[in-house]
């Protein structure tokens, strides 16, 4: 059996009883989920052939494999070895103290966590209970780990069945900032609830309606789309309300060039107390920007886009659900996940349980 035959067999869901090399390591590719693009073998969150059109902050954040995970089923496996390489934080690196934790989930619940010191290349072992169904491993994200191989202990693995592909674009809130684990970020939590392959295209510091990003999203396969940006249009790069209205219309139109019939949910900015009634450099409050974004979406629906839906963000979170006045805490991410999952179900976009 060739390596390609094994990969094809594995991606069909057959258990990988044969290893891809004499040491027993399996190619991780068929097991990876949440992948948008690859730069060589490394998952990235922007088109590596189109980086020169992107602002530097987006290009930088897209190297971090946010939302990328391993999903598998197990037969007789008692543990899983994961071989990976990661960047090492320097002495003054703000990320140095973040837990380098691999988390195993099953049936919507955390099963086990293993925390290890970052190393350039090493192996971590995580126990696998004897259960049926889908297992998910969320690697740590902060040191950009690249998964090099998987090795079952005492049994066999198969890639979990493919799920509908959900592209989620936004800013640092979508990227999951201030969630204590990658699995707690609202796209990851909503993806578990809905049974979707969530692909996280949140870009911290960005999410300003960059039209090059819209064109890149248009080129990706998707069964469902969600856009969730706007708060960075208040401060980081100030927008007026008319400018945001036209930007949102243009962004949706460009995405629609690649996805004319794909269901799309747009989430307007959630609560940001300091910004709600405070004018930015162009005189727009976040409340006015939110209204402009929502009006742009409603205009698209009125123009005949019956695969477009709006979820107003104000009211999903209260001040107690914010970790720093801007980003949700774990409870806030859970509330956002519930709101988005409910909106997707109510829109009847997909055949969901």
């Amino acid at each position: 059996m060739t390596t390609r035959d094994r990969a094809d067999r594995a991606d069909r869901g057959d258990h990988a009883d044969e290893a891809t090399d004499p040491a027993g390591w399996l190619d991780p590719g068929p097991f990876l989920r949440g992948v948008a693009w690859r730069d060589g073998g490394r998952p990235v969150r922007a088109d590596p052939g189109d980086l020169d059109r992107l602002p530097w902050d987006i290009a930088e954040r897209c190297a971090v494999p946010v939302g990328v995970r391993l999903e598998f089923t197990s037969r007789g496996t008692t543990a899983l070895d994961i071989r990976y390489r990661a960047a090492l934080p320097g002495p003054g690196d703000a990320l140095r103290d973040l837990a380098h934790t691999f988390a195993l989930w099953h049936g919507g619940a955390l099963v086990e966590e293993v925390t290890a010191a970052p190393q350039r290349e090493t192996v971590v072992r995580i126990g696998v209970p004897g259960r049926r169904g889908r297992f998910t491993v969320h690697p740590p994200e902060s040191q950009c780990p690249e998964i090099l191989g998987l090795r079952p202990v005492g049994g066999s693995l198969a890639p979990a069945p493919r799920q509908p592909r959900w592209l989620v674009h936004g800013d640092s809130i979508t990227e999951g900032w201030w969630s204590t684990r990658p699995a707690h970020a609202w796209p990851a939590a909503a993806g578990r609830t809905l049974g979707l392959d969530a692909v996280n295209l949140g870009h911290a510091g960005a999410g300003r309606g960059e039209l090059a990003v819209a064109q890149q999203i248009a080129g990706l396969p998707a069964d469902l789309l969600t856009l969730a940006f706007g708060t960075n249009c208040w401060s980081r790069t100030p927008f007026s309300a008319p400018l945001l209205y036209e930007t949102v219309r243009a962004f949706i139109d460009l995405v629609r060039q690649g996805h004319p019939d794909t269901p799309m949910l747009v989430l307007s900015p959630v609560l940001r107390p300091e910004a709600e009634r405070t004018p930015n450099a162009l005189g727009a409050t976040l409340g006015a920007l939110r209204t402009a974004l929502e009006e742009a979406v409603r205009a698209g629906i009125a123009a005949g886009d019956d695969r477009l839906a709006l979820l107003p963000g104000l009211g999903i979170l209260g001040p107690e659900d914010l970790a720093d006045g801007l980003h949700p805490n774990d409870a806030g991410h859970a509330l956002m996940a519930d709101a988005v999952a409910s909106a997707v179900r109510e829109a009847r976009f997909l055949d969901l349980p």
Side-chain angles (χ1 to χ4, degrees), residues 31-32 34 47 70 86 89 97 114 127 200 285 343 352:
F31 297 85
L32 288 172
D47 183 349
L70 297 161
D97 294 331
V114 174
N200 193 314
T285 65
L352 297 170

Side-chain angles (χ1 to χ4, degrees), residues 18-350:
E18 298 181 67
T20 58
D21 69 15
W25 292 106
L26 303 172
D27 176 7
F31 297 85
L32 288 172
R33 299 293 183 267
V35 177
W37 293 270
R38 294 177 187 267
D39 188 1
R42 181 184 292 275
V44 293
R45 297 184 303 120
D47 183 349
D50 192 33
L51 293 180
D52 59 340
R53 291 199 302 140
L54 298 179
W56 72 267
D57 50 3
I58 295 181
E60 181 181 67
R61 292 306 304 169
C62 286
V64 183
V66 174
V68 176
R69 59 207 182 275
L70 297 161
E71 297 195 349
F72 62 91
T73 60
S74 166
R75 180 186 297 158
T77 304
T78 59
L80 173 65
D81 288 341
I82 302 171
R83 182 164 58 93
Y84 71 99
R85 69 167 61 100
L88 290 179
D93 193 325
L95 303 177
R96 185 178 181 86
D97 294 331
L98 291 181
H100 196 70
T101 299
F102 290 76
L104 179 69
W105 284 66
H106 179 272
L110 176 66
V111 175
E112 183 176 351
E113 288 188 336
V114 174
T115 300
Q119 299 184 47
R120 292 195 185 279
E121 186 168 330
T122 190
V123 176
V124 64
R125 175 170 291 187
I126 188 166
V128 178
R131 302 177 189 174
R132 295 184 177 182
R134 179 183 301 265
F135 289 92
T136 300
V137 174
H138 292 269
E141 297 169 347
S142 58
Q143 307 305 328
C144 300
E146 179 183 2
I147 308 300
L148 302 175
L150 305 178
R151 183 169 60 190
V153 177
S156 61
L157 302 178
R162 294 283 177 177
Q163 296 174 307
R165 184 176 165 87
W166 178 32
L167 305 184
V168 189
H169 170 64
D171 47 37
S172 57
I173 296 173
T174 297
E175 205 178 67
W177 279 41
W178 284 96
S179 60
T180 57
R181 293 289 188 270
H184 297 166
W186 72 260
R192 281 194 302 274
T193 297
L194 294 170
L196 301 175
D197 178 10
V199 179
N200 193 314
L201 300 177
H203 305 140
R208 304 171 295 253
E210 297 86 356
L211 299 186
V213 173
Q215 290 179 303
Q216 291 193 6
I217 292 172
L220 285 173
D223 298 292
L224 177 66
L225 301 158
T226 293
L227 309 179
F229 62 86
T231 195
N232 286 338
C233 299
W234 174 72
S235 56
R236 186 171 173 85
T237 300
F239 278 54
S240 66
L243 176 58
L244 184 57
Y245 176 93
E246 295 297 340
T247 299
V248 172
R249 293 297 305 275
F251 196 99
I252 292 173
D253 286 348
L254 286 173
V255 173
R256 279 285 181 240
Q257 290 181 18
H259 296 283
D261 301 312
T262 304
M264 183 188 302
L265 175 70
V266 180
L267 170 62
S268 65
V270 296
L271 176 69
R272 184 176 179 179
E274 67 163 342
E276 294 297 332
R277 298 183 181 181
T278 303
N280 65 11
L282 292 178
T285 65
L286 183 60
L289 293 174
R290 183 183 296 109
T291 296
L293 184 149
E294 293 174 355
E295 288 178 349
V297 177
R298 292 189 179 104
I301 297 170
D305 190 341
D306 61 359
R307 303 292 281 169
L308 180 63
L310 171 67
L311 173 58
L314 188 63
I316 295 176
L317 303 180
E320 68 280 5
D321 303 312
L322 302 174
D324 60 352
L326 168 59
H327 300 96
N329 53 29
D330 279 348
H333 276 283
L335 289 170
M336 291 186 67
D338 288 345
V340 170
S342 295
V344 170
R345 286 192 173 115
E346 289 171 6
R348 300 183 183 275
F349 280 155
L350 300 172

